Amino acid sequence: MSAAPSSAGQLPGGPSLPQERRLVTAVPGPKSQELQARKLAAVAAGVGTTLPVYITRAGGGVVEDVDGNSLIDFGAGIAVTNVGNSAKAVVERAAAQLAAFTHTCFMVTPYEGYVAVAEQLNELTPGDHEKRSALFNSGAEAVENAVKIARAYTKRTAVVVFDHGYHGRTNLTMGMTAKNMPYKHGFGPFAPEVYRVPVAYPYRWLTGAENAAADAAAQAIDMINKQIGAENVAAIVIEPILGEGGFIEPAKGFLPAIVEFAKANGIVFVADEIQTGFCRTGQWFACEDEGIVPDLITTAKGIAGGLPLAAVTGRAEIMDAAHAGGLGGTYGGNPVACAAALGSIETMKELDLNAKAQAIGATMLPRLRAMQEKFDIIGDVRGRGAMIAVELVKPGSKDPNPEATAALAKACHAEGLLVLTAGTYGNVLRFLPPLVMPEHLLAEGLDILETAFAGL
Ligand SMILES: *Cc1c(COP(=O)(O)O)cnc(C)c1O
């Protein structure tokens, strides 16, 4: 993997952003602390902040703050800026669209960008059957609409989701999300007809990883048959790699078994690829890994290089089941966001970001596995492409170690490496670098992480 071409990470003709880690104050520095004090006085307490450094510029593999610090970014705004924070094609196309017109509402008077994004999605998503797409603003909105569409098509109501799943923060998607704190606590009641079944979590499957796929699929299917009735199920919704749940890759064979069951019972199989999509795992979509062709696929995050856009894409006969006027929204498929998405997809193809994601995984996994040999709190190292995680445990056990996870994240932040945590037990460090991350910054970030483990 070579260093990111400057065109991918920097504003065209704008100030060049040095691809380096640079600490000139403590993290957060005095100006960030001042802004954080204003934030606490002005912004609702429920909107949290992982690392309160206030950003002025970002691109390639770094974010630069108001104090002049430059941090290595292993978070990509939660798997959003796969092409970098200021990819040339994204900025140019979005800026041109911004100057032409900002909005008309696609449901009132349409424009080409929306149609072009739908065409791209129909082409890039798995399967060569006839497809349709509909565009929205956020991932949660896409998931809600996938459920609406599946219910309209099947004329059934039940929705099946999985342990450790995450699908958003709106009422329906909160109910579909597994974890209570912080996502659901105190915010109920939740929408009815949502049912949760086991997922094949290899590291924590009680009878061993080798039994996880068959056991979990059998249990999930038995629960659906006995507790819900397959004939009542409109949709089965799953992330091909569970993101917020801790980058859990279901044991091989689990997803195909669920897909087969869905097909045999007339259930719409929905892959929630909001975090895994758009080259993140080294493929356009993570379900390609086991050759899965979902009936519907939800996308957001990485789709538009940082602008808010989301989509549901799938089989034409299912997508077209909702009546005219039944889907949409004032801003859904905003023209500036669509232009950004076309620039983002163009960048992914041009820079072959699937290959870049694979190269990032090929660098990270061996280094993290070597750390696992040295540090007994690393219970598991896993992931695909540039979606990589370590699960931390108490030494000599599999007991989750959220304290060490928080301490490590803090130590990395102090050294100018932005990392995120995840996991049902809060004990997973997750790494989601922009796919244009320069090689030397990836290596430096891993050095910082290793030093943090050694210093724990
Ligand atoms: C982030 C995420 C969502 C929700 O997306 P928002 O844009 O935050 O509403 C849904 N599903 C998955 C898998 C996600 O990672």
Side-chain angles (χ1 to χ4, degrees):
M1 198 175 82
S2 58
S6 60
S7 66
Q10 294 170 12
L11 287 164
S16 73
L17 189 57
Q19 292 297 300
E20 62 178 17
R21 179 176 68 112
R22 184 178 66 250
L23 296 184
V24 296
T25 71
V27 177
K31 288 182 182 158
S32 277
Q33 288 183 33
E34 234 170 80
L35 284 164
Q36 182 67 0
R38 277 173 57 195
K39 182 234 178 196
L40 293 175
V43 179
V47 184
T49 303
T50 300
L51 173 58
V53 300
Y54 283 73
I55 301 306
T56 50
R57 299 194 296 176
V62 298
V63 295
E64 209 176 83
D65 73 13
V66 284
D67 291 289
N69 300 303
S70 175
L71 285 73
I72 301 173
D73 181 11
F74 274 16
I78 319 187
V80 169
T81 53
N82 294 3
V83 297
N85 311 65
S86 48
K88 191 168 183 282
V90 171
V91 174
E92 283 180 353
R93 282 180 182 253
Q97 178 58 51
L98 197 53
F101 64 94
T102 56
H103 174 81
T104 60
C105 187
F106 189 75
M107 302 181 302
V108 178
T109 50
Y111 38 87
E112 184 183 353
Y114 188 118
V115 179
V117 170
E119 287 167 349
Q120 287 287 315
L121 288 166
N122 297 349
E123 189 188 311
L124 291 170
T125 49
D128 48 19
H129 49 277
E130 192 165 343
K131 294 177 206 153
R132 300 282 186 272
S133 288
L135 305 185
F136 305 97
N137 302 294
S138 71
E141 215 188 328
V143 173
E144 293 244 1
N145 277 280
V147 170
K148 278 170 68 172
I149 293 163
R151 283 175 170 163
Y153 176 71
T154 59
K155 305 195 167 52
R156 305 171 179 179
T157 54
V159 176
V160 172
V161 291
F162 292 81
D163 285 339
H164 310 288
Y166 179 86
H167 300 289
R169 294 174 180 272
T170 57
N171 185 267
L172 175 61
T173 59
M174 264 195 296
M176 294 170 68
T177 290
K179 192 177 176 179
N180 176 50
M181 273 302 270
Y183 304 122
K184 305 166 77 166
H185 191 77
F187 300 143
F190 305 112
E193 291 303 307
V194 174
Y195 301 89
R196 192 171 310 286
V197 298
V199 71
Y201 187 165
Y203 180 64
R204 293 198 175 274
W205 197 258
L206 285 175
T207 57
E210 67 282 6
N211 300 314
D215 284 7
Q219 287 180 19
I221 288 166
D222 189 60
M223 285 175 75
I224 294 170
N225 283 326
K226 296 294 182 304
Q227 299 181 20
I228 315 165
E231 67 277 20
N232 297 317
V233 178
I236 296 177
V237 185
I238 189 165
E239 304 154 80
I241 297 177
L242 290 83
E244 304 300 306
F247 287 16
I248 300 163
E249 234 187 313
K252 294 267 182 274
F254 177 77
L255 289 174
I258 298 297
V259 169
E260 196 188 330
F261 173 78
K263 190 178 251 172
N265 290 279
I267 299 168
V268 175
F269 179 84
V270 184
D272 181 348
E273 293 250 18
I274 288 167
Q275 192 156 160
T276 48
F278 292 103
C279 309
R280 177 50 55 187
T281 65
Q283 294 177 292
W284 279 101
F285 298 98
C287 58
E288 291 169 40
D289 189 60
E290 287 186 277
I292 285 164
V293 177
D295 297 314
L296 300 181
I297 180 165
T298 55
T299 53
K301 293 196 166 93
I303 189 174
L307 275 84
L309 189 69
V312 183
T313 300
R315 295 184 188 282
E317 67 273 22
I318 301 176
M319 291 296 297
D320 285 340
H323 50 270
L327 305 178
T330 305
Y331 291 118
N334 168 271
V336 182
C338 285
L342 295 172
S344 175
I345 291 166
E346 179 188 304
T347 305
M348 289 171 192
K349 289 177 179 169
E350 225 159 66
L351 301 183
D352 193 0
L353 291 189
N354 280 323
K356 293 266 195 260
Q358 289 163 22
I360 288 170
T363 298
M364 293 191 88
L365 284 170
R367 289 251 356 228
L368 294 168
R369 292 202 172 113
M371 290 183 214
Q372 186 179 18
E373 297 295 311
K374 277 169 65 178
F375 305 114
D376 55 7
I377 62 167
I378 302 183
D380 195 25
V381 173
R382 57 180 179 246
R384 286 210 302 267
M387 185 171 185
I388 304 286
V390 292
E391 175 159 358
L392 304 182
V393 293
K394 305 258 160 76
S397 76
K398 284 192 178 181
D399 295 345
N401 198 339
E403 300 82 9
T405 310
L408 276 160
K410 203 171 160 206
C412 290
H413 295 167
E415 289 301 315
L417 173 66
L418 176 52
V419 294
L420 306 175
T421 60
T424 299
Y425 313 106
N427 67 327
V428 174
L429 276 178
R430 58 169 156 172
F431 310 117
L432 293 161
L435 307 181
V436 294
M437 172 67 67
E439 207 174 346
H440 71 280
L441 289 181
L442 186 64
E444 192 177 347
L446 289 164
D447 291 343
I448 293 168
L449 182 68
E450 182 155 6
T451 305
F453 270 110
L456 206 65

